[in-house]
Amino acid sequence: MVCRRIFCESEKEEEELVNLNVGGFKQSVDQNTLLKFPHTRLGKLISCHSEEAILELCDDYNVADKEYYFDRNPCLFRYVLNFYYTGKLHVMEELCVFSFSQEIEYWGINELFIDSCCTNRYQERKDDVVDKAWEQTSTVSTDSSFEEMSAFNKDLEKFDGTWLADIRKKVWIRLENPAYSCSAKLFAICCLCVVLTSIVAMCVHSMPEFHKFDVNEKQVEDPVLAVIEVVCISWFSAEFALRLAAAPSPKRFFKNPLNIIDFVSIIPFYATLAADTVDSMDEESEDLENVGKVVQILRLMRIFRILKLARHSVGLRSLGATLRHSYHEVGLLLLFLAVGISIFSVLVFSVEKDEDDSFLHNIPVCWWWATISMTTVGYGDTLPVTLCGKLIGSLCILCGILVVALPITIIFNKFSKYYHRQKALEVDRNNEDHNDPCAEVPYVNIRDAYAKKVHSFLASLSSVASTPSDYDSINASSIGMVTVCNNGPMENGTAK
């Protein structure tokens, strides 16, 4: 009777144990231990009632031995097993944080279960991994930088077999790489001077001292400024046409944002010229009474010429790349500002609406006040006059500083890394020679030379018996020669 009871108890204990085999590491665990965390992988495995459901959670299953197989890291599984016993995760110093994070994610364990003694160290090491990953994808030694260099080299390969390939290739390199030669630097400096001259002329044109009027009191262009404008536009047009003619791929040319900026900066002049011509031909037409306003708008579009500086400025290109890759942070910044503006505008309206001396009598005006307060601009055109309103304004300014400062640091870090990447990328382009192919390096085939000399040495030894005098003529000079081969075939081996 006692033996039967012991046998039943042992059989019951065997049924309650779960046999696990993780990468060769075998362990039997009590079911109740795994059921403490039913939402984990092993906790869900206990509740499975079919073999198909079991195989969805493990790699293999032995029905006879009731053993579950997992093709995972057995060393890291010891920490997972300790979690089921203690309810806490611990991260050892020698563990890879990234691998450990993937492992606990596989087993369905949340990072929140990491014990307080390891939480800070785990997060710091995880942040370091993220920073290093960002540096690897943002510095010049990254794949993206090599992709840009390879794209530039692929563009050069497209010239092969095209019309005037050599001339267009030389022109394209000098246009795209100002540091390639003295002529390329001179052309880049001329382009920069023309852009600055055009911007200065546009600013001077807005000054009242340079406004000219005809006999009909109609404003006309200043003759000197008009000549400068024509010269600048002629240069921009010629530069754009030259880039388009020398481009290896017109389709890729028009996808480049810098080329789009060049095109947009030219179009307003020709559109204005066409509008002025039509206006002078039919001044009394009712359909053209608003042509003057259209012309003014087109002239204002000349401001896009400032963006042409991006072709010659690493900082502007880095700024564009930063904004293109930071839309999440920019959206987060706008969201924070929108929430803060909505809250503080309603608060200041509720305390200022009954004051006669205050201008904050409606919420749209309060929006304007909250906007300039949270961005710490503070024009002073609208301001609270009550004590509560001033307290709300002070709180609004403090919150604005915090809200703006949080995403700005992330954006600044990205800008700094993109800037260093662009600078180093330019250095790599400047150091790369696009004309002279790599000279063939001469090599010394020592094995062939040595074999030839030894063969002649042995041949001379074989003649010693018949001609003793030949032995005296043999010396080290017979094998002292080493041939130097340049572009020769290597039959027997290479030099080591």
Side-chain angles (χ1 to χ4, degrees), residues 195-212 219-229 299-300 302-303 305-306:
V195 172
L196 295 176
T197 302
S198 176
I199 295 172
V200 172
M202 181 182 64
C203 297
V204 171
H205 183 270
S206 63
M207 300 173 63
E209 294 83 356
F210 294 91
H211 290 176
K212 302 293 183 180
Q219 185 175 354
V220 295
E221 290 282 346
D222 185 272
V224 178
L225 296 178
V227 172
I228 296 175
E229 180 73 10
R299 286 174 178 170
L300 291 176
R302 292 183 294 182
I303 194 64
R305 296 177 192 174
I306 297 178

Side-chain angles (χ1 to χ4, degrees), residues 51-52 212 303 352 454:
E51 187 174 352
E52 291 78 8
K212 302 293 183 180
I303 194 64
E352 294 283 330
V454 170

Side-chain angles (χ1 to χ4, degrees), residues 123-143:
Q123 291 298 332
E124 289 176 359
R125 293 174 62 185
K126 192 174 181 181
D127 293 339
D128 291 340
V129 171
V130 174
D131 292 339
K132 290 179 181 179
W134 163 251
E135 290 177 359
Q136 291 177 355
T137 56
S138 300
T139 55
V140 180
S141 59
T142 58
D143 296 337

Side-chain angles (χ1 to χ4, degrees), residues 209-341:
E209 294 83 356
F210 294 91
H211 290 176
K212 302 293 183 180
F213 300 90
D214 57 8
V215 294
N216 297 325
E217 296 298 327
K218 183 179 179 181
Q219 185 175 354
V220 295
E221 290 282 346
D222 185 272
V224 178
L225 296 178
V227 172
I228 296 175
E229 180 73 10
V230 171
V231 172
C232 293
I233 287 296
S234 300
W235 178 276
F236 295 152
S237 302
E239 179 190 1
F240 183 80
L242 185 62
R243 290 182 183 275
L244 180 59
S249 174
K251 183 178 180 181
R252 186 180 178 87
F253 176 81
F254 283 105
K255 289 183 177 180
N256 191 340
L258 297 177
N259 297 327
I260 297 174
I261 291 173
D262 292 343
F263 182 75
V264 172
S265 63
I266 296 172
I267 287 300
F269 175 81
Y270 294 104
T272 302
L273 185 63
D276 289 338
T277 304
V278 174
D279 190 17
S280 61
M281 292 174 59
D282 193 1
E283 295 181 353
E284 297 180 356
S285 175
E286 295 181 357
D287 297 335
L288 299 175
E289 58 184 15
N290 294 325
V291 169
K293 296 180 179 180
V294 175
V295 170
Q296 293 296 327
I297 295 174
L298 292 175
R299 286 174 178 170
L300 291 176
M301 290 180 64
R302 292 183 294 182
I303 194 64
F304 287 109
R305 296 177 192 174
I306 297 178
L307 299 179
K308 287 176 66 67
L309 294 174
R311 189 180 292 276
H312 311 284
S313 173
V314 177
L316 288 177
R317 292 200 299 271
S318 301
L319 178 61
T322 303
L323 294 177
R324 186 169 65 252
H325 292 86
S326 302
Y327 59 92
H328 288 297
E329 290 78 9
V330 174
L332 193 64
L333 175 62
L334 296 177
L335 177 63
F336 288 166
L337 287 175
V339 172
I341 289 169

Side-chain angles (χ1 to χ4, degrees), residues 272-485:
T272 302
L273 185 63
D276 289 338
T277 304
V278 174
D279 190 17
S280 61
M281 292 174 59
D282 193 1
E283 295 181 353
E284 297 180 356
S285 175
E286 295 181 357
D287 297 335
L288 299 175
E289 58 184 15
N290 294 325
V291 169
K293 296 180 179 180
V294 175
V295 170
Q296 293 296 327
I297 295 174
L298 292 175
R299 286 174 178 170
L300 291 176
M301 290 180 64
R302 292 183 294 182
I303 194 64
F304 287 109
R305 296 177 192 174
I306 297 178
L307 299 179
K308 287 176 66 67
L309 294 174
R311 189 180 292 276
H312 311 284
S313 173
V314 177
L316 288 177
R317 292 200 299 271
S318 301
L319 178 61
T322 303
L323 294 177
R324 186 169 65 252
H325 292 86
S326 302
Y327 59 92
H328 288 297
E329 290 78 9
V330 174
L332 193 64
L333 175 62
L334 296 177
L335 177 63
F336 288 166
L337 287 175
V339 172
I341 289 169
S342 301
I343 293 174
F344 287 106
S345 61
V346 175
L347 290 177
V348 78
F349 170 72
S350 63
V351 299
E352 294 283 330
K353 61 181 179 180
D354 297 330
E355 296 294 328
D356 297 333
D357 297 335
S358 177
F359 295 96
L360 304 173
H361 294 298
N362 55 71
I363 291 182
V365 176
C366 294
W367 283 344
W368 167 251
W369 169 84
T371 301
I372 62 178
S373 297
M374 290 202 70
T375 55
T376 66
V377 176
Y379 290 115
D381 53 347
T382 55
L383 68 161
V385 296
T386 63
L387 178 60
C388 293
K390 292 179 180 179
L391 292 176
I392 293 174
S394 301
L395 185 61
C396 178
I397 294 171
L398 294 176
C399 292
I401 294 174
L402 295 176
V403 164
V404 172
L406 291 176
I408 287 296
T409 54
I410 304 174
I411 298 174
F412 172 76
N413 290 334
K414 287 188 177 182
F415 172 79
S416 177
K417 292 172 182 177
Y418 274 111
Y419 179 78
H420 291 299
R421 171 188 165 188
Q422 290 288 339
K423 290 289 288 186
L425 187 61
E426 282 197 349
V427 173
D428 287 348
R429 283 186 178 181
N430 298 340
N431 294 335
E432 192 174 87
D433 190 0
H434 302 287
N435 281 336
D436 300 332
C438 295
E440 295 290 341
V441 180
Y443 64 89
V444 179
N445 197 336
I446 299 176
R447 181 179 296 178
D448 289 347
Y450 180 76
K452 185 184 296 183
K453 294 303 178 182
V454 170
H455 179 73
S456 62
F457 178 72
L458 294 177
S460 63
L461 287 179
S462 62
S463 62
V464 170
S466 59
T467 310
S469 60
D470 293 341
Y471 177 79
D472 299 332
S473 63
I474 299 172
N475 50 36
S477 62
S478 63
I479 58 173
M481 300 294 293
V482 177
T483 58
V484 177
C485 305

Side-chain angles (χ1 to χ4, degrees), residues 10-149:
S10 61
E11 185 178 7
K12 183 178 181 181
E13 289 178 357
E14 290 180 358
E15 290 180 354
E16 291 180 351
L17 292 178
V18 179
N19 299 319
L20 302 176
N21 188 334
V22 181
F25 172 72
K26 298 182 179 181
Q27 185 72 23
S28 298
V29 187
D30 188 8
Q31 292 186 6
N32 296 327
T33 302
L34 301 179
L35 289 176
K36 292 179 182 178
F37 304 96
H39 298 292
T40 61
R41 180 177 290 266
L42 295 180
K44 295 178 181 178
L45 193 65
I46 302 302
S47 59
C48 293
H49 300 288
S50 63
E51 187 174 352
E52 291 78 8
I54 292 175
L55 292 177
E56 289 181 359
L57 297 174
C58 64
D59 296 318
D60 200 2
Y61 174 61
N62 190 339
V63 181
D65 299 335
K66 294 183 179 180
E67 188 173 9
Y68 303 92
Y69 296 91
F70 296 89
D71 189 12
R72 306 298 297 184
N73 191 332
C75 296
L76 293 179
F77 179 70
R78 299 176 188 273
Y79 299 94
V80 175
L81 197 60
N82 183 65
F83 162 75
Y84 283 98
Y85 290 132
T86 63
K88 293 292 182 181
L89 278 173
H90 293 274
V91 185
M92 299 302 167
E93 192 69 31
E94 66 275 6
L95 291 181
C96 173
V97 174
F98 183 72
S99 179
F100 184 78
S101 176
Q102 285 186 327
E103 197 69 19
I104 63 176
E105 183 180 355
Y106 171 81
W107 295 107
I109 303 173
N110 198 297
E111 293 180 356
L112 298 176
F113 288 105
I114 298 178
D115 204 357
S116 57
C117 60
C118 301
T119 302
N120 294 333
R121 186 173 68 253
Y122 175 78
Q123 291 298 332
E124 289 176 359
R125 293 174 62 185
K126 192 174 181 181
D127 293 339
D128 291 340
V129 171
V130 174
D131 292 339
K132 290 179 181 179
W134 163 251
E135 290 177 359
Q136 291 177 355
T137 56
S138 300
T139 55
V140 180
S141 59
T142 58
D143 296 337
S144 58
S145 297
F146 286 121
E147 287 177 1
E148 293 184 14
M149 291 296 299

